Amino acid sequence: MLERRLVGEPAVIDLKQYIVAVPDFPQPGILFRNIMPLLKAQFEPTIAALDGLLSTDEWAQVDAITGVESRGFILGAALALRRGKGFIPIRKQGKLPPPVSSLPYQLEYGTATLEMQPGSGRVVIVDDVMATGGTLTAATELCLRSGFQVSALVALIDLKLMPGLRWNGLALRAALVYD
């Protein structure tokens, strides 16, 4: 069937159809949402959906995009390129040269430590999936500890395990929501 739309009007694509649910990964009881098929099939529309989570005025106030290792790197770097902003990685412990700020935190299935290099400016934090909020909360605290101001929290997927998650008055913005 031929799709009719106005010139310049984006096609509406069901991005969820490309996400694969993987049971019991990385451990029993976890339902992992694999975004790699989505990125392979619909990368540009995925980044456009993330871009649309902030208004033009909000984007004008942002200096850089941070991406949380590792899938947040893919999304954050592409979004930074699309918006003409810098990209700042938030990495797992031991992956960045000094100086770094570090922050240990609790995951839904263990513990980890995030690190980033110090700096300044207003950032948007980008991650792939918001589950229990541990990684996102740690990333925001780490940004502050490293000298950055957090302007927005963005995730590709919100699993709604922590409905209404807010950090310092900022609500999570997600392109896709699972209930």
Side-chain angles (χ1 to χ4, degrees):
M1 173 179 227
L2 182 63
E3 179 182 330
R4 291 181 178 258
R5 56 190 166 105
L6 299 175
V7 174
E9 179 184 328
V12 176
I13 299 168
D14 176 16
L15 299 177
K16 280 186 180 180
Q17 71 179 319
Y18 297 96
I19 296 173
V20 178
V22 182
D24 298 320
F25 182 80
Q27 68 182 39
I30 302 292
L31 180 62
F32 182 81
R33 302 289 179 166
N34 183 6
I35 67 167
M36 294 309 161
L38 170 65
L39 299 183
K40 180 180 179 190
Q42 298 293 333
F43 191 56
E44 195 283 328
T46 300
I47 301 307
L50 292 171
D51 184 10
L53 295 174
L54 274 71
S55 71
T56 302
D57 290 341
E58 289 172 311
W59 278 118
Q61 301 300 313
V62 172
D63 299 309
I65 311 294
T66 64
V68 182
E69 187 166 348
S70 64
R71 290 172 300 274
F73 285 4
I74 298 165
L75 302 170
L79 190 54
L81 183 63
R82 180 180 177 99
R83 276 286 161 183
K85 308 290 182 182
F87 177 74
I88 303 165
I90 297 177
R91 304 239 25 211
K92 295 175 183 169
Q93 188 174 28
K95 303 292 184 181
L96 291 171
V100 296
S101 298
S102 299
L103 186 69
Y105 70 104
Q106 189 71 37
L107 290 161
E108 54 270 19
Y109 47 85
T111 60
T113 299
L114 292 177
E115 294 182 335
M116 75 185 302
Q117 294 177 318
S120 63
R122 296 170 307 253
V123 298
V124 171
I125 299 174
V126 177
D127 204 1
D128 63 333
V129 176
M130 206 302 278
T132 62
T135 301
L136 192 60
T137 300
T140 57
E141 296 296 334
L142 182 59
C143 283
L144 289 180
R145 191 178 283 188
S146 301
F148 298 96
Q149 296 174 339
V150 178
S151 296
L153 310 173
V154 170
L156 175 60
I157 297 170
D158 182 356
L159 297 178
K160 285 296 191 186
L161 299 177
M162 299 293 293
L165 177 77
R166 296 182 83 77
W167 179 86
N168 281 0
L170 296 176
L172 173 72
R173 302 175 195 200
L176 304 172
V177 177
Y178 286 84
D179 290 324

